[in-house]
Amino acid sequence: MIKLAMIDTKTIRTRIAPSPTGEYHIGHLRTCLYDYALAKKNGGQFIVRIEDTDQKRFVQGSMERTLQVIKDYGLAWDEGPDIGGPFAPYIQTQRLDIYKKYIQELLDKGFAYYCFCSQERLDEIRSTQKAAGQVPKYDQHCLHLSKDEIQKNLDAKIPYTVRMVIPKNETIIFEDQIRGKIKFNTNDIDDQVLIKSNGIPTYHFAAVVDDHLMKITHVLRGEEWLTSTPKHLLLYRYFNWEAPTFAHLTVILNPDGKGKLSKRHGATSARSFLEDGYLPEAMLNFLMFLGWNPGDNREFFTLDEFVQAFSLEHLHKKSPVFDRKKLDYLNGYYLRQKTDQQLFDLFKKFLPQATDDQIKILVPVLKERITKLSDLVPQTKFLFENVEYNKDLLLKKGTDPKLAIDILTESKELIKNNFDNLSEKLLELIKNNNWNTGEFFMVFRVAICGSVFTPPVVECLPALGQQKTLEKIDIAITKLTQ
């Protein structure tokens, strides 16, 4: 049985290690937030390292986009590929010479070995094992090759990988900061490939080497990496290195509570939420609670407040549900805390076609009625185009067509003569004609906006302007007379 020591008294150093294989997932951002908080609360360092060893899935520009979106959320790092640091480089494909040194050490010690098996043979082994109801594992065919056989294959330039030697029937025990004591038997662990046939290390090898050399003390990562931890702990033992403290975070579940958060329930990239009009501070506040609680009833935290409150002890063992209603509630709250000038700048980004005067009118009218900034687009569509709708929508409350025409005709005359204080004047018009208020505004709302669900239409008319208001009323009257 082996049990590895954990670091407890050193300066805390955490890291995130995104792979440039696509957009940065919102779940990864949660991990990033927790790593950041753990380091900052304890006066430590937070590091970004790019793990780009999976060249088959490499996406050009992904690293730059990932770094930018993390910055957009207000999280800054102390060391990384863009700012350097004492353990540079921070991009794994720029560290290949380092890995060569350490893989040779494992080969020399007998803790790793060359594997010359072809992909066809490996596939055949796995198929046979699966057919027999066994867990697919490498059969260690190359483990006992002689030095002469190995050299002969190397001289012949036969493609090879380097695999890790897994000891037989040992128990690996470690303390996970969330899940407590975890045990694995080495008989259930495959001889992991450490160096691929292209000479590039796998995640398992590069991450361990880099975490040690960069003095990482705490590794926070998703629970999908839990079964990889014993392999990593063996590597720490083989090198006679101290292992970091591990905390395997729960997965984030879909809004229905079933399965890992996926795109079929909406966008899942960290950038997509910003593009949809969620505020960074609201998103961070939401993510804080997806696997952690402060131990009291507080629900609103700034980033600085979260850093002070954060602790590993309050991380959850139960997977959280991605509750979009809660996210909308938080985002609406943060929007309403903004000044009109701050909202002006935000509205401008989502309504680039609007003039400054229009936005100044819209901010006080709409700020209480949106949960995210992208809500502005459908709510203000009528300001910039004539929305298509049919005659029946104007008569939705069962209004008589003649009455609807009268409502719009008299409203048009009122607006034509005076465009000020319209709310009071329209209510006076309704009273003088003994019209039903709800019926009147249904007809008027559809005429102006082309929809029954609209922002406060009268308050928005100054942004539309007198001439366009009259044009829309004319279009509605034409529909009713056809």
Side-chain angles (χ1 to χ4, degrees), residues 334-350:
Y334 277 95
L335 279 170
R336 291 188 291 276
Q337 305 313 303
K338 300 285 187 183
T339 65
D340 282 3
Q341 181 56 52
Q342 290 171 325
L343 287 173
F344 176 91
D345 297 333
L346 293 170
F347 275 42
K348 190 73 173 173
K349 291 179 182 178
F350 281 79

Side-chain angles (χ1 to χ4, degrees), residues 286-463:
F286 176 68
L287 291 173
M288 292 168 192
F289 286 86
L290 289 185
W292 172 87
N293 71 76
D296 54 41
N297 294 323
R298 287 178 292 170
E299 61 176 343
F300 298 107
F301 282 84
T302 65
L303 181 56
D304 287 342
E305 289 168 344
F306 175 64
V307 166
Q308 293 306 311
F310 183 76
S311 70
L312 295 176
E313 290 76 17
H314 284 167
L315 291 173
H316 296 173
K317 295 181 181 179
K318 183 179 179 182
S319 293
V321 172
F322 195 92
D323 185 348
R324 287 185 181 269
K325 289 183 179 179
K326 178 69 172 180
L327 174 57
D328 287 346
Y329 160 73
L330 286 171
N331 203 63
Y333 170 82
Y334 277 95
L335 279 170
R336 291 188 291 276
Q337 305 313 303
K338 300 285 187 183
T339 65
D340 282 3
Q341 181 56 52
Q342 290 171 325
L343 287 173
F344 176 91
D345 297 333
L346 293 170
F347 275 42
K348 190 73 173 173
K349 291 179 182 178
F350 281 79
L351 298 174
Q353 69 275 53
T355 66
D356 288 359
D357 287 340
Q358 285 179 311
I359 292 178
K360 287 177 182 177
I361 294 166
L362 293 173
V363 164
V365 175
L366 298 181
K367 67 180 180 181
E368 300 287 338
R369 298 174 183 271
I370 58 173
T371 57
K372 56 186 185 297
L373 291 163
S374 61
D375 293 342
L376 293 170
V377 177
Q379 289 206 34
T380 60
K381 188 177 181 180
F382 73 96
L383 294 174
F384 311 108
E385 58 185 272
N386 288 325
V387 182
E388 283 299 319
Y389 60 94
N390 57 41
K391 171 182 175 180
D392 294 339
L393 200 62
L394 287 160
L395 309 175
K396 188 172 178 61
K397 279 190 171 288
T399 304
D400 180 84
K402 184 179 182 307
L403 174 58
I405 292 172
D406 288 344
I407 286 173
L408 293 176
T409 301
E410 295 203 32
S411 297
K412 176 184 174 182
E413 287 304 310
L414 185 156
I415 291 169
K416 185 189 299 184
N417 294 324
N418 197 323
F419 200 55
D420 297 323
N421 302 317
L422 282 178
S423 184
E424 293 178 13
K425 291 173 182 175
L426 288 173
L427 289 173
E428 186 177 344
L429 180 66
I430 293 168
K431 182 179 179 181
N432 291 341
N433 286 278
N434 200 28
W435 289 331
N436 177 280
T437 302
E439 190 173 29
F440 172 89
F441 280 109
M442 176 62 73
V443 173
F444 190 79
R445 185 181 303 117
V446 172
I448 300 300
C449 302
S451 173
V452 297
F453 302 107
T454 70
V457 63
V458 178
E459 289 90 330
C460 289
L461 289 181

Side-chain angles (χ1 to χ4, degrees), residues 174-185:
F174 70 97
E175 191 77 18
D176 185 90
Q177 294 299 298
I178 298 173
R179 300 156 197 279
K181 185 176 291 186
I182 305 289
K183 295 182 180 182
F184 286 94
N185 188 285

Side-chain angles (χ1 to χ4, degrees), residues 22-287:
E23 293 296 325
Y24 197 56
H25 192 273
I26 196 68
H28 294 152
L29 184 66
R30 179 194 64 166
T31 304
C32 180
L33 173 62
Y34 290 174
D35 272 308
Y36 175 91
L38 179 61
K40 295 305 174 183
K41 179 177 181 177
N42 293 281
Q45 293 92 43
F46 171 59
I47 293 94
V48 173
R49 183 177 71 228
I50 300 299
E51 296 190 341
D52 61 341
T53 59
D54 188 352
Q55 291 292 294
K56 289 182 179 179
R57 297 173 57 221
F58 177 81
V59 175
Q60 191 68 39
S62 178
M63 181 186 79
E64 292 77 10
R65 285 177 62 81
T66 294
L67 295 178
Q68 185 59 54
V69 77
I70 296 171
K71 290 178 184 177
D72 290 344
Y73 275 95
L75 302 177
W77 46 92
D78 300 293
E79 302 166 26
D82 56 336
I83 60 175
F87 304 103
Y90 292 87
I91 299 176
Q92 286 188 331
T93 53
Q94 297 176 10
R95 298 172 61 82
L96 298 183
D97 287 343
I98 295 172
Y99 307 130
K100 286 180 183 178
K101 170 188 172 183
Y102 287 100
I103 200 64
Q104 190 60 52
E105 181 177 335
L106 291 183
L107 287 165
D108 292 343
K109 289 180 177 179
F111 293 136
Y113 61 97
Y114 293 99
C115 176
F116 298 95
C117 292
S118 66
Q119 189 59 52
E120 291 74 20
R121 182 179 185 279
L122 295 175
D123 292 341
E124 183 179 342
I125 294 169
R126 288 182 174 274
S127 297
T128 301
Q129 290 172 333
K130 285 182 179 180
Q134 300 172 348
V135 177
K137 287 175 58 178
Y138 180 60
D139 63 358
Q140 298 188 324
H141 174 74
C142 292
L143 176 59
H144 303 294
L145 292 177
S146 67
K147 288 185 178 181
D148 288 342
E149 289 175 306
I150 292 171
Q151 191 59 53
K152 180 180 178 182
N153 288 340
L154 292 175
D155 291 342
K157 299 191 183 302
I158 296 175
Y160 66 87
T161 60
V162 178
R163 290 182 179 272
M164 175 183 179
V165 176
I166 303 295
K168 297 295 183 184
N169 199 30
E170 289 193 27
T171 300
I172 297 178
I173 302 175
F174 70 97
E175 191 77 18
D176 185 90
Q177 294 299 298
I178 298 173
R179 300 156 197 279
K181 185 176 291 186
I182 305 289
K183 295 182 180 182
F184 286 94
N185 188 285
T186 55
N187 287 346
D188 300 323
I189 303 173
D190 198 5
D191 282 17
Q192 178 68 50
V193 171
L194 302 179
I195 301 293
K196 294 176 280 190
S197 58
N198 60 3
I200 294 177
T202 60
Y203 162 82
H204 304 280
F205 183 63
V208 168
V209 172
D210 288 344
D211 283 346
H212 171 74
L213 296 180
M214 295 180 183
K215 301 185 183 302
I216 302 302
T217 62
H218 292 71
V219 173
L220 277 61
R221 58 189 181 190
E223 66 178 25
E224 65 271 21
W225 294 108
L226 193 60
T227 56
S228 298
T229 305
K231 304 173 188 177
H232 301 167
L233 291 175
L234 282 171
L235 286 172
Y236 280 103
R237 185 181 80 170
Y238 291 165
F239 284 117
N240 197 29
W241 295 339
E242 257 189 314
T245 296
F246 288 99
H248 289 86
L249 303 170
T250 53
V251 298
I252 300 173
L253 300 178
N254 284 312
D256 61 6
K258 299 176 182 178
K260 186 177 179 181
L261 184 64
S262 62
K263 289 183 179 179
R264 63 189 177 88
H265 287 269
T268 58
S269 75
R271 178 156 306 283
S272 66
F273 288 95
L274 298 181
E275 292 174 345
D276 202 23
Y278 289 99
L279 299 174
E281 57 267 40
M283 284 300 305
L284 291 181
N285 199 156
F286 176 68
L287 291 173

